Amino acid sequence: MSDLPPEASGGPSIGGQTTQEDLRALASRLIEEGKDWAAAEINVVTATFDTWSKPVKIAVPLAVVAILLVLAAVTVFVAAFGMALAYWLGVAAGLAAAAFITLLAAAALMLIAVEKLKRLDR
């Protein structure tokens, strides 16, 4: 311990004024350091998001265009398949058969997806 009296060492004084002032100063310092820490964390998160989002801003539109091109190609493929079936079934029946077969394939894929999602719940 210190050889100084409590008033000189920053300890309690008359009515505990020094202790209350020390606690207020400590609380004020903690609040300011907390604000600084929160601001620094926000800056880190913002910088991380900016670094991550710049490539995504380019990739997402490219992926959307690619998906649209795939859908167009599938449409052309189904129409060509229908025209090939039209040789045996007639134009209307061939296109209808191609659309029906495509819908069956879509339903099968959807059932597989639903089963995989059901397994996630367990």
Side-chain angles (χ1 to χ4, degrees):
M1 273 299 189
S2 172
D3 293 330
L4 298 172
E7 294 82 17
S9 65
S13 64
I14 300 172
Q17 286 295 329
T18 304
T19 304
Q20 288 181 357
E21 290 170 2
D22 289 342
L23 289 175
R24 287 185 187 134
L26 176 63
S28 176
R29 192 178 85 224
L30 287 174
I31 290 170
E32 290 302 317
E33 287 178 2
K35 287 179 183 178
D36 293 342
W37 180 81
E41 285 295 317
I42 289 171
N43 289 337
V44 167
V45 170
T46 302
T48 303
F49 178 77
D50 288 344
T51 302
W52 180 82
S53 68
K54 286 179 184 176
V56 172
K57 288 179 184 177
I58 296 168
V60 168
L62 291 175
V64 169
V65 170
I67 290 170
L68 291 175
L69 290 174
V70 167
L71 289 174
V74 167
T75 302
V76 170
F77 176 74
V78 169
F81 182 60
M83 294 309 290
L85 289 175
Y87 180 74
W88 293 285
L89 303 174
V91 176
L95 292 174
F100 183 73
I101 291 169
T102 304
L103 288 175
L104 285 177
L109 293 173
M110 184 59 73
L111 287 174
I112 292 169
V114 168
E115 285 301 317
K116 291 198 178 280
L117 288 175
K118 283 183 180 178
R119 286 188 212 150
L120 290 177
D121 291 343
R122 295 178 193 162

